[in-house]
């Protein structure tokens, strides 16, 4: 119970906990960057990983010094690719505009597939009429 008796012991504990968590984040960032790097051969990746296991602090410092710039570039490329993929997916599943829906309904009406009553229903639904709006999932 002597640990909790001093305020500075508690502060020192939190400082070391912060340093340890920051170190773990750096290690996991380095490992993920190793697997993301397509230019580095498998043997060199294995050497970096073995060095991270046996001499983690020095190896992580060396990795960040010598490969930090490439690490940032690969991380940026991955973030951009992820953003582009998400935006493409959103565009692919997004609903059409109300004017497009009305135009499609008009084409169906003109072709005789639907009657005027169904056209009015589709038109009201496309314009967001509360009585005819589709339920959200």
């Amino acid at each position: 119970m002597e640990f909790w008796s001093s305020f500075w012991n508690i502060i020192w504990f939190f400082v070391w906990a912060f340093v340890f968590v920051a170190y773990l984040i750096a290690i996991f960032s380095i490992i993920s960057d190793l697997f993301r790097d397509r230019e580095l051969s498998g043997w060199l990746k294995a050497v970096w990983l073995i060095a991270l296991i046996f001499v983690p602090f020095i190896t992580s410092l060396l990795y960040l010094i010598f490969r930090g710039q490439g690490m940032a570039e690969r991380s940026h490329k991955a973030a951009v690719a992820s953003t582009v993929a998400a935006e493409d997916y959103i565009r692919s599943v997004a609903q059409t505009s109300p004017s497009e829906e009305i135009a499609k309904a008009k084409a169906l009406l003109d072709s005789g597939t639907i009657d005027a009553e169904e056209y009015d229903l589709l038109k009201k639904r496309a314009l967001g009429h509360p009585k005819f709006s589709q339920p959200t999932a």
Side-chain angles (χ1 to χ4, degrees):
M1 293 304 262
E2 187 177 321
F3 174 77
W4 297 106
S5 64
S6 173
F7 174 74
W8 292 110
N9 284 343
I10 296 169
I11 295 297
W12 196 239
F13 171 77
F14 281 111
V15 167
W16 277 110
F18 173 78
V19 169
F20 180 70
V21 169
Y23 175 70
L24 286 178
I25 290 171
I27 290 289
F28 287 124
S29 296
I30 289 170
I31 291 171
S32 67
D33 183 64
L34 275 172
F35 288 108
R36 185 184 301 140
D37 189 3
R38 296 186 184 273
E39 296 173 4
L40 200 60
S41 71
W43 288 104
L44 286 175
K45 289 178 184 182
V47 168
W48 276 111
L49 283 174
I50 290 170
L52 276 171
I53 290 170
F54 290 110
V55 192
F57 187 72
I58 294 171
T59 305
S60 60
L61 283 177
L62 290 174
Y63 191 89
L64 293 174
I65 290 168
F66 292 114
R67 298 186 45 86
Q69 183 65 30
M71 187 177 178
E73 291 170 359
R74 285 184 291 280
S75 178
H76 177 70
K77 284 181 185 177
V80 168
S82 175
T83 301
V84 167
E87 288 175 354
D88 289 344
Y89 174 75
I90 290 169
R91 279 191 207 99
S92 71
V93 297
Q95 292 183 349
T96 58
S97 69
S99 60
E100 291 173 343
E101 290 183 30
I102 293 171
K104 288 178 186 177
K106 180 66 172 157
L108 290 173
L109 177 66
D110 292 342
S111 69
T113 306
I114 61 174
D115 60 7
E117 186 178 316
E118 292 172 315
Y119 170 73
D120 289 337
L121 177 69
L122 290 173
K123 188 168 135 182
K124 287 179 182 178
R125 185 174 290 158
L127 293 175
H129 192 275
K131 185 175 179 183
F132 300 104
S133 63
Q134 299 172 351
T136 58

